[in-house]
Amino acid sequence: MPDAGDLWVFGYGSLMWRPGFDYLERHHARLIGAHRALCVYSFVHRGTPEKPGLVFGLDNGGACRGIVYRVAAAKRTETIDYLRAREQVTMVYREVSRAVWIDDDPQRRIQALCYVVDRSHEQYAGRLSIAQQLEFVRQGHGRSGPNRDYVIDAVASIEALGYRETDLHRLVEQLKGESKSSD
């Protein structure tokens, strides 16, 4: 990442509801060329190597709606250090700069820091069926808590943006149905 000026950060998973850093602006945004997918085995935050969970990655192709944050230049280094400690625990993501379009001003395109899944990494799960995703999400529990909570919170954040990702909503409906039947 070039070390000059304000920093823009694109969030598509937990960064949407829990960025963990100070920012000046927050906007709904769209990234073209990558999509949100439960395609990363979690060995730390939402699972363990013995019982992996499943977390989001930006994977090749499509588009992704999320949140973009503008961070003051004075907080740039501190924010990048924080994000690396949070997102790069096992180096499953590539830290890249990508063009992102801000929803309330479609002519406004900015360059944002994004964490894109490294498809050659051992934690890359690829495309899994909903049944396979459910298996990992049910078993996953790591440093940041139950995998189930992470997926439900992510889908709630996507809904708050006014979007619906059908497969993710089906997954959450099944997870929520399980908790109702076990109460």
Side-chain angles (χ1 to χ4, degrees):
M1 297 292 319
D3 191 19
D6 291 348
L7 171 71
W8 289 91
V9 178
F10 182 71
Y12 58 90
S14 62
L15 289 176
M16 291 190 301
W17 70 87
R18 190 177 48 84
F21 53 84
D22 294 331
Y23 54 88
L24 302 171
E25 295 179 50
R26 176 187 186 274
H27 301 278
H28 294 192
R30 181 173 36 101
L31 174 111
I32 305 292
H35 66 282
R36 174 183 15 256
L38 280 171
C39 65
V40 175
Y41 295 120
S42 178
F43 292 170
V44 177
H45 287 291
R46 299 297 176 165
T48 64
E50 299 76 29
K51 286 192 169 187
L54 202 57
V55 294
F56 290 107
L58 281 176
D59 205 356
N60 295 343
C64 181
R65 300 240 181 220
I67 301 291
V68 70
Y69 302 93
R70 183 171 67 92
V71 176
K75 299 236 177 194
R76 180 187 189 89
T77 300
E78 170 187 327
T79 301
I80 291 172
D81 289 347
Y82 165 77
L83 289 169
R84 286 177 178 160
R86 174 178 168 168
E87 301 296 323
Q88 295 290 64
V89 176
T90 61
M91 301 303 289
V92 68
Y93 299 107
R94 291 181 298 112
E95 186 178 88
V96 299
S97 178
R98 292 278 175 92
V100 175
W101 284 261
I102 296 177
D103 284 357
D104 57 1
D105 185 359
Q107 302 304 313
R108 189 172 177 199
R109 185 180 91 165
I110 50 96
Q111 288 296 122
L113 173 64
C114 301
Y115 288 91
V116 176
V117 68
D118 177 354
R119 289 177 144 217
S120 68
H121 197 281
E122 69 173 328
Q123 286 176 254
Y124 177 65
R127 186 178 181 93
L128 301 174
S129 69
I130 290 179
Q132 290 170 313
Q133 291 175 24
L134 271 169
E135 179 184 333
F136 287 105
V137 171
R138 284 178 183 135
Q139 80 177 7
H141 194 287
R143 180 188 307 166
S144 297
N147 200 170
R148 178 186 182 281
D149 294 351
Y150 166 84
V151 173
I152 290 170
D153 288 346
V155 171
S157 292
I158 293 165
E159 287 175 345
L161 293 173
Y163 307 115
R164 180 174 174 85
E165 293 184 14
T166 304
D167 288 346
L168 288 178
H169 283 78
R170 284 187 191 133
L171 184 71
V172 166
E173 286 168 8
Q174 290 188 41
L175 291 169
K176 286 181 174 178
E178 292 169 3
S179 70
K180 287 179 184 169
S181 63
S182 64
D183 290 343

